[in-house]
Amino acid sequence: MDWVTKASSLAAQATDPDSRWFAPVARIPRHELIPRWWDRDDTGRWVLHDGPSDPEGWAQAAYTDRSLITRVGTLHADQAEPGDNPEGLPTSSATLPSLVVRMLRHTRVADGGSLLDLGTGAGGLTAYACNRLGDEHVTSLDVDPYLVSVAGQRLASMGYVPKLITADATVSVPGSYDRIVSTVALAPGPALRAVLGALEPGGRIATTLASTSLIVTGWKNQEGDVIGRVERDMAGFMLTRSGDDYPPALTEPFNLAREADGEATSTGRYPVVDVANAWELRSMLEVTTPGVDVDYETSGRTRTAYLVHPDGSWARASAEWTDPPQVHQGGPQRLWDALERIRNRLNAEGSLPLLGASVRITPDGVCHLSRGRWRASMGAR
């Protein structure tokens, strides 16, 4: 495989010709980090792809600016057998290089400083950082011992030997660092507190917040607060996990949302929307009504959205195309009403106050957001 030419082409897609990250992207044989991966077929099943048995497809996948799923549920593509079709959510991936570069830029990586890559995954960000900074300045951490081990082997074959740690970052992060870049989404509160404890005073972090697409950056002051902002940029990363897989979905509320009439029935004001892919709406919903899970499905021209909450609240909105939806809601909260209040604000003001908001993260991991007269806190008990 002529990977050098392909990697240079990828670098041109992922960054700018004068960027300090152009050379690292161009010099890393990304295909060696992703010999196997999962993709969905037309029926939605996860299907295994094996790079060495299809070199052309391998090169096309590895050197296109896209994310590749490497683990679904508890099954890593490396350990799968032909014909395996795992069920569940993706639990690890090789992040698209342009997003890796954006996160590194948001972190403002400095030569000579120490960098923690939180969420080793396939090892792509670690490889770029080692090439640019020197592997003695780079530490990479993941909760999955297999991911850490195999990434270490593949990085070593390229000549990079960073420090690699297997640990649950939601509980404790060993060491201290000048920069932390997280390619997993951190939940405000205890998980974020654990990570910030490893950030040196004067250091900088870049991360997304769990169940949002908000990229939060900031500098840690001598009092232990991180002062920064929500970037005018968005990204979607997997949630941090403590175990081998994510906790089970909210099955009972989702079953109610699909079948029950509920205590409240109404006609919605706005068309049904796929909330998970309406990133700004989804993010504001998490800020205002934390803990909501979402789903969406289509059948012909009929679109249906579901919202559920751990407290037993649920909502279902269904309509043909852009018609006003029939809305059913149950439980202690009216989740669709909460979403419509956000959409009212968006329509009335033309934007939501999230992007560009000021951020203060206190040592307990609580994230305080403000913009103008708008205030919100995430992670407070």
Side-chain angles (χ1 to χ4, degrees):
M1 181 190 299
D2 177 18
W3 71 264
V4 174
T5 299
K6 296 181 185 301
S8 294
S9 176
L10 176 60
Q13 297 175 55
T15 187
D16 301 316
D18 63 346
S19 169
R20 291 178 294 177
W21 293 107
F22 185 94
V25 177
R27 291 171 181 167
I28 297 300
R30 187 176 184 239
H31 70 286
E32 293 181 10
L33 297 172
I34 323 161
R36 297 176 120 204
W37 66 97
W38 298 105
D39 207 351
R40 288 192 186 273
D41 66 13
D42 292 339
T43 68
R45 295 187 311 163
W46 291 107
V47 176
L48 181 66
H49 292 266
D50 180 74
S53 66
D54 179 15
E56 185 175 341
W58 192 11
Q60 174 66 24
Y63 295 102
T64 300
D65 188 28
R66 58 174 287 203
S67 294
L68 297 174
I69 302 301
T70 54
R71 191 175 186 271
V72 174
T74 61
L75 185 57
H76 198 289
D78 291 350
Q79 301 167 323
E81 298 292 337
D84 281 346
N85 301 112
E87 295 183 358
L89 298 172
T91 47
S92 188
S93 70
T95 303
L96 67 159
S98 62
L99 179 53
V100 170
V101 169
R102 280 161 46 204
M103 292 302 293
L104 286 163
R105 285 174 171 164
H106 286 310
T107 312
R108 299 187 190 171
V109 173
D111 294 338
S114 55
L115 173 70
L116 174 65
D117 169 17
L118 188 57
T120 305
L125 188 149
T126 303
Y128 297 160
C130 286
N131 184 279
R132 160 92 191 279
L133 302 174
D135 50 15
E136 69 274 18
H137 297 294
V138 180
T139 300
S140 190
L141 181 152
D142 204 288
V143 71
D144 188 323
Y146 177 77
L147 293 176
V148 172
S149 174
V150 75
Q153 295 168 23
R154 291 166 181 167
L155 290 165
S157 73
M158 301 175 191
Y160 302 123
V161 191
K163 184 176 181 180
L164 296 164
I165 298 173
T166 301
D168 182 352
T170 68
V171 176
S172 178
V173 176
S176 59
Y177 308 91
D178 300 309
R179 299 288 188 273
I180 297 177
V181 55
S182 180
T183 51
V184 288
L186 296 172
L192 191 51
R193 177 184 65 204
V195 173
L196 294 183
L199 184 63
E200 289 278 6
R204 182 174 173 86
I205 186 171
T207 184
T208 55
L209 300 179
S211 301
T212 81
S213 301
L214 304 178
I215 300 174
V216 169
T217 63
W219 301 92
K220 187 175 184 179
N221 63 24
Q222 294 299 321
E223 289 71 40
D225 290 348
V226 169
I227 307 299
R229 66 174 180 174
V230 178
E231 297 289 340
R232 293 185 179 277
D233 187 10
M234 304 186 88
F237 287 116
M238 298 175 193
L239 301 175
T240 52
R241 54 186 171 87
S242 294
D244 205 32
D245 199 354
Y246 293 117
L250 299 172
T251 303
E252 186 174 344
F254 269 122
N255 287 340
L256 284 171
R258 286 183 165 84
E259 300 171 3
D261 289 332
E263 296 91 38
T265 303
S266 61
T267 299
R269 181 174 182 181
Y270 302 107
V272 174
V273 64
D274 180 0
V275 179
N277 287 307
W279 281 12
E280 200 168 0
L281 287 179
R282 177 69 181 99
S283 299
M284 192 66 167
L285 183 63
E286 180 63 20
V287 172
T288 59
T289 314
V292 174
D293 201 358
V294 302
D295 200 4
Y296 175 81
E297 61 190 23
T298 61
S299 177
R301 287 175 55 85
T302 300
R303 308 192 299 181
T304 306
Y306 306 94
L307 308 177
V308 301
H309 192 276
D311 69 4
S313 301
W314 60 269
R316 178 180 72 253
S318 187
E320 196 167 321
W321 200 234
T322 59
D323 290 347
Q326 185 78 4
V327 180
H328 296 263
Q329 301 184 83
Q333 299 187 75
R334 297 292 176 257
L335 300 180
W336 196 260
D337 293 354
L339 180 66
E340 292 219 326
R341 285 193 293 271
I342 295 169
R343 298 177 79 176
N344 282 340
R345 179 168 193 162
L346 178 60
N347 283 355
E349 300 180 13
S351 66
L352 296 173
L354 291 174
L355 301 184
S358 297
V359 172
R360 179 172 63 90
I361 309 174
T362 47
D364 57 1
V366 176
C367 190
H368 303 276
L369 309 174
S370 62
R371 187 176 176 191
R373 291 185 287 180
W374 177 75
R375 301 285 186 275
S377 294
M378 302 176 68
R381 291 185 175 181

